[in-house]
């Protein structure tokens, strides 16, 4: 017979202690709502285990009582993937207390961390060992590596180091039945059977709970050199990218783009972060080069590629950061575009990716189509051009109309934008994941066969649909 | 009612035409045996479809008649993964006629190829478009990219570019029921649901048949600079690796190690390939640096790192290739070690990987243990040190005893070596896969939970166990 809620809670207390079973409504509140306050749910309790064994025991108790579980890290997701549903019949399992760095092997360039380690703490642990952990994103001060893995987070250095997926060598996962899957090996090569690791990465907790991971580390660059480059068009931006790829190869560690409207918004809300380049420019690109020799070599490489670009016309102006402070300012510009947007009010967000060669066509077609249909709209187009990832966001004609435009036009504009993305074989979720936000788009995007395969895997590993149900793949 | 074999063959002929349904025993022979002649099977027929639709139709016919299928590419695998079983109730599906390059996007740095494209043809197509495809291995003149993907092949540039897995962006797969899964997108970022791609990569055709793939391309290096470096110990070899990682970062594109006994064997069978360094040396390391600026810059970088290594004592001697011919000779040395072994007779092979930091311990412990137990044995230890991957092969005391030593000692020596590998959290198959050779080791290596998960996935996607049954994961 199933336990009553009180018996269940007594069971959880028995596993992790009273103070880590959160049930009173004010303490529970932060676990029930996402940081952007778009998704809200209810829960029997939020549970804060401190070890893999405790997670396993909780999962076994939940499985025995058919209680659905919602794993949660720093709760900084964009798609509601870590928010419980409104039934109040789920539990949130927070991994935040699992925050130990288990091992750092500087020679092998690996670090073994628990899921609740905050990204910034991981970066700092690497730095302290004279190594570099490249994953970097806006939420790094509060997001956890378990969440980064579960959503396969992207960020600003994917152009060189790949997504979180590419940075992971091994995982420890608590399966939906409570079994502990230990694949925490620090190996660059291991061809022994199916690659389970990459199935859990990006599954947003719907196939099991990631409790620990082995991540790759890298040597620390001797110098990082940053430039802000004006380009006359999206075509020119892609040509500039190709020039840096050819000339700097893996030394190209950042390539971010901001459209003129993004820069105008930035200037309005953060005047101190206005671009130092004479404008307006169709786009400005932030380029970062990392060097393992010297500052001189980095400067020389940057200048040589830029002078070729200026000559060819794909760049029309450029400012090379002359100090760490100025380099920081260029990055601040890029990072404050989304903040300026938030200040401006809600906007219709699209986290899309395309082959970089298709980006000029996408931008031209989509801009024209939308501007014609919705005169006066502002297209805040910026993002990780080096990875083909655009945050192509649409805001109403003026700040005053932003809210109503958002409420009335979101569905239709998203449908229009996604249609253009699909035409060019892009993705409707480049780095933010699916969560509960994009579940209904999955079949249209991935196709029926892929959805069938995903559902078959979900059913095979989580036959009672208890692990973050309703997220990613609906059954 | 199931079809007779004759009706079945008529069905295949109906799909792909008489000349591509191979049934007569002499034409069938090469499809039934692996290239090392270790595994031999029987088959109803070998089928040579030319399109994804033909593969799909064949699979549907097989599925309807419960006929098991063995996908095969260039048939150059090391573990019998592409060889049918002896029952004569299976069909071999050869992808060799699916050899079209469907698209090359130089700006996006991607190429879309069919599974039967020979690796070397892929490399050449990239070169013709002024791009570089880095996957490189001994069999590149005959292996197919579909097989490289199915076995997640490694090779000599993994230290920089990763395994075949890391080079792939999208796949087209014919599922065990004949459905065509099309995920051929040329995207660096796509977080829309479960990552199915990496499940099929390395599954050795046991979850479906890879028919096409989108692979990454890279800019062509301006210069590649090669050196042969003598090191006094395995510890020194790892220190040398760390120095090159710190100093050259991603410009380090090759780091291969050969033990003194490997070099002696090489000298014996290929005197022209004897090392130019004064010996004996505990190990000699082949280092390759790729440069995107100039030959001068590459030389300078190589010399600067090497002089530091010589000073520190982790290197005792070094020869930098002064010509392309000499660089080619250094690579020939490395590539001829396995050939010299083959000339010498059978040996007990181990394709293992370890954290690079654990390699000195592994080599010291394992060498001592084996030499004590089997006096006079030769340990031909060489491999991709940069990835922690050793081909740690054991041969009998003299060439005369090689055959009998191999026959009598294989099982026990493999068990001893694998035990040391497991102690240090290594892998018993770094790059060769599982095939039929290592199926029985899987549970011990990956653990019961992982095996359960793999079996659940296999059952979910291939419920009738028709897709390369008995390979990788046995049910």
């Amino acid at each position: 017979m199933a336990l009553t809620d009180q018996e269940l809670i007594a069971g959880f207390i028995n596993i992790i202690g009273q103070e880590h079973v959160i049930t009173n409504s004010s303490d529970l509140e932060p676990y029930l709502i996402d940081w952007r306050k778009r998704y809200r749910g209810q829960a029997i309790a939020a549970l804060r285990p401190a070890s893999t064994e405790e997670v396993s025991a909780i999962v076994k108790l939940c499985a025995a009582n058919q209680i659905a579980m919602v794993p949660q890290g720093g709760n900084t997701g964009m798609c509601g993937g870590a928010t419980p549903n409104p039934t109040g019949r789920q539990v949130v399992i927070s991994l935040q207390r699992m925050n130990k760095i288990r091992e750092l092997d500087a020679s092998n360039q690996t670090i073994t961390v628990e899921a609740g380690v905050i990204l910034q703490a991981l970066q700092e642990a690497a730095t302290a060992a004279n190594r570099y952990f490249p994953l970097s994103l806006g939420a790094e001060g509060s997001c956890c590596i378990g969440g980064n893995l579960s959503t396969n987070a992207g960020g600003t250095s994917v152009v060189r180091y790949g997504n979180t997926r590419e940075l992971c060598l091994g995982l420890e996962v608590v399966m939906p039945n409570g079994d502990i899957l230990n694949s925490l090996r620090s190996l660059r090569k291991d061809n022994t059977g199916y690659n389970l690791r990459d199935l859990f990465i990006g599954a947003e907790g719907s196939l099991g709970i990631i409790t620990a991971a082995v991540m790759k580390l890298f040597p620390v660059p001797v110098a990082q050199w940053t430039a802000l480059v004006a380009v006359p068009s999206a075509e020119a931006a892609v040509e500039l990218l190709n020039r840096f790829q050819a000339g700097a190869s893996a030394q190209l560690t950042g390539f971010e783009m901001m459209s003129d409207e993004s820069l105008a918004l930035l200037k309005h809300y953060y005047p101190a972060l206005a671009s130092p380049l004479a404008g307006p420019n169709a786009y400005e690109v932030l380029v970062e080069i990392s060097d393992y020799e010297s500052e001189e070599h980095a400067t020389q490489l940057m200048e040589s590629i830029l002078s070729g670009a200026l000559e060819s016309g794909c760049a029309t102006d450029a400012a090379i950061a002359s100090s760490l402070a100025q380099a920081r300012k260029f990055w601040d510009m890029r990072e404050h575009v989304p903040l300026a947007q938030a200040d401006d009010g809600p906007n219709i967000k699209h986290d899309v990716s395309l082959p970089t060669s298709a980006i000029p066509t996408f931008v031209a077609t989509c801009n024209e189509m939308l501007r014609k249909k919705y005169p006066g709209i502002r297209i805040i187009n910026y993002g990780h051009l080096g990875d083909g990832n655009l945050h192509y966001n649409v805001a109403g004609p003026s700040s005053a109309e932003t809210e109503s435009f958002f409420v009335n036009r979101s569905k239709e504009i998203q449908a229009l934008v996604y249609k253009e993305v699909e035409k060019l074989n892009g993705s409707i979720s480049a780095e933010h994941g699916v969560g509960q936000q994009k579940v209904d788009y999955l079949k249209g995007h991935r196709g029926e066969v892929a959805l069938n395969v995903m559902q078959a895997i979900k059913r095979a590993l989580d036959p009672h649909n208890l692990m973050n149900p309703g997220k990613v793949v609906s059954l």
Side-chain angles (χ1 to χ4, degrees), chain A:
Chain A
M1 218 178 88
L3 300 181
T4 64
D5 281 8
Q6 248 174 330
E7 290 168 326
L8 196 63
I9 285 167
F12 294 137
I13 290 173
N14 194 37
I15 297 167
I16 53 176
Q18 182 126 30
E19 65 176 314
H20 304 303
V21 178
I22 316 288
T23 52
N24 88 63
S25 63
S26 64
D27 293 343
L28 199 51
E29 176 66 14
Y31 298 95
L32 305 179
I33 187 163
D34 74 311
W35 72 282
R36 292 199 301 161
K37 305 200 191 311
R38 291 281 159 74
Y39 303 96
R40 159 174 272 295
Q42 294 298 330
I44 298 171
L47 310 172
R48 293 168 55 80
S51 71
T52 308
E53 291 66 31
E54 288 182 0
V55 175
S56 167
I58 287 170
V59 172
K60 281 180 178 162
L61 186 56
C62 289
N65 291 278
Q66 300 281 300
I67 298 293
M69 296 157 269
V70 181
Q72 193 177 90
N75 199 14
T76 62
M78 304 293 275
C79 301
T83 312
N85 73 15
T87 61
R89 300 308 310 148
Q90 305 189 318
V91 294
V92 173
I93 301 180
S94 166
L95 281 297
Q96 287 180 317
R97 287 179 65 229
M98 287 198 61
N99 60 0
K100 281 193 285 297
I101 290 173
R102 292 193 189 162
E103 194 192 349
L104 191 153
D105 182 342
S107 171
N108 192 46
Q109 306 206 109
T110 49
I111 187 167
T112 308
V113 291
E114 292 184 345
V117 170
I118 288 176
L119 175 51
Q120 195 173 313
L122 203 171
Q123 294 165 345
E124 287 166 1
T127 306
N130 194 29
R131 291 293 180 273
Y132 177 61
F133 184 68
L135 184 65
S136 176
L137 41 91
E140 63 196 26
S142 48
C143 65
C144 298
I145 190 67
N148 300 145
L149 285 159
S150 291
T151 58
N152 187 28
T156 52
S157 57
V158 176
V159 68
R160 159 64 181 100
Y161 297 99
N163 300 286
T164 309
R165 179 185 308 289
E166 283 85 29
L167 299 173
C168 180
L169 294 175
L171 287 182
E172 179 188 81
V173 179
V174 173
M175 298 300 299
N177 64 0
D179 280 352
I180 299 170
L181 175 72
N182 182 344
S183 300
L184 281 178
R185 295 182 200 248
S186 310
L187 304 173
R188 259 81 185 174
K189 277 182 171 176
D190 187 7
N191 280 350
T192 48
Y194 302 154
N195 176 350
L196 303 179
R197 175 189 70 204
D198 288 306
L199 196 55
F200 295 109
I201 296 175
E204 304 186 33
S206 67
L207 296 176
I209 303 178
I210 294 173
T211 48
V214 181
M215 307 301 294
K216 292 183 195 170
L217 300 177
F218 295 84
V220 182
V222 170
Q224 289 192 310
W225 225 238
T226 310
L228 194 67
V229 187
V231 299
S233 64
E235 284 82 354
V238 173
E239 191 193 325
L240 186 71
L241 172 65
N242 289 159
R243 282 178 173 268
F244 271 93
Q245 286 168 328
S249 183
Q251 289 188 247
L252 177 65
T253 49
F255 200 93
E256 301 283 319
M257 183 182 89
M258 295 168 277
S259 71
D260 52 352
E261 281 170 302
S262 310
L263 292 160
L265 197 71
L266 182 70
K267 191 175 175 178
H268 181 76
Y269 287 97
Y270 298 94
L273 293 177
S275 172
L277 299 176
N281 298 298
Y283 298 92
E284 294 184 9
V285 173
L286 190 167
V287 185
E288 183 191 80
I289 274 184
S290 296
D291 204 274
Y292 294 83
E293 283 173 65
S294 63
E295 292 209 355
E296 293 65 39
H297 184 252
T299 323
Q300 186 191 316
L301 184 62
M302 180 68 96
E303 284 175 353
S304 127
I305 299 171
L306 276 181
S307 76
L310 288 162
E311 235 167 78
S312 87
C314 74
T316 53
D317 195 5
I320 298 185
S322 59
S323 64
L324 272 181
Q326 205 180 359
R328 190 58 255 163
K329 185 192 156 180
F330 291 171
W331 277 110
D332 278 346
M333 287 175 60
R334 167 60 186 83
E335 282 158 16
H336 280 71
V337 174
L339 303 179
Q341 275 189 113
D343 292 341
D344 193 58
N347 56 78
I348 305 163
K349 292 192 189 304
H350 307 92
D351 166 40
V352 304
S353 70
L354 296 145
T356 51
S357 52
I359 281 181
T361 304
F362 169 77
V363 171
T365 316
C366 213
N367 281 6
E368 192 192 334
M369 182 260 298
L370 291 177
R371 290 196 201 285
K372 205 164 159 182
K373 211 169 154 74
Y374 308 99
I377 53 161
R378 292 165 299 156
I379 299 175
I380 313 302
N381 178 19
Y382 65 98
H384 317 291
L385 185 65
D387 330 319
N389 180 188
L390 299 179
H391 298 306
Y392 185 90
N393 299 338
V394 180
S398 69
S399 301
E401 292 168 76
T402 296
E403 180 75 35
S404 65
F405 189 85
F406 173 78
V407 171
N408 298 322
R409 300 299 183 197
S410 280
K411 283 273 165 202
E412 65 190 60
I413 288 184
Q414 274 168 0
L416 289 168
V417 171
Y418 291 159
K419 200 173 151 192
E420 294 303 315
V421 169
E422 298 292 357
K423 271 191 214 164
L424 294 163
N425 273 311
S427 169
I428 59 166
S429 184
E431 61 174 6
H432 293 168
V434 175
Q436 45 188 292
Q437 188 184 51
K438 292 180 183 170
V439 171
D440 295 339
Y441 289 102
L442 213 58
K443 186 172 169 182
H445 175 62
R446 293 279 296 255
E448 193 170 358
V449 175
L451 188 64
N452 289 344
V453 175
M454 288 192 254
Q455 288 172 331
I457 290 170
K458 169 75 172 166
R459 284 196 195 98
L461 303 193
D462 183 19
H464 304 295
N465 196 21
L466 296 177
M467 204 46 88
N468 214 4
K471 313 292 168 54
V472 192
V473 175
S474 62
L475 293 181

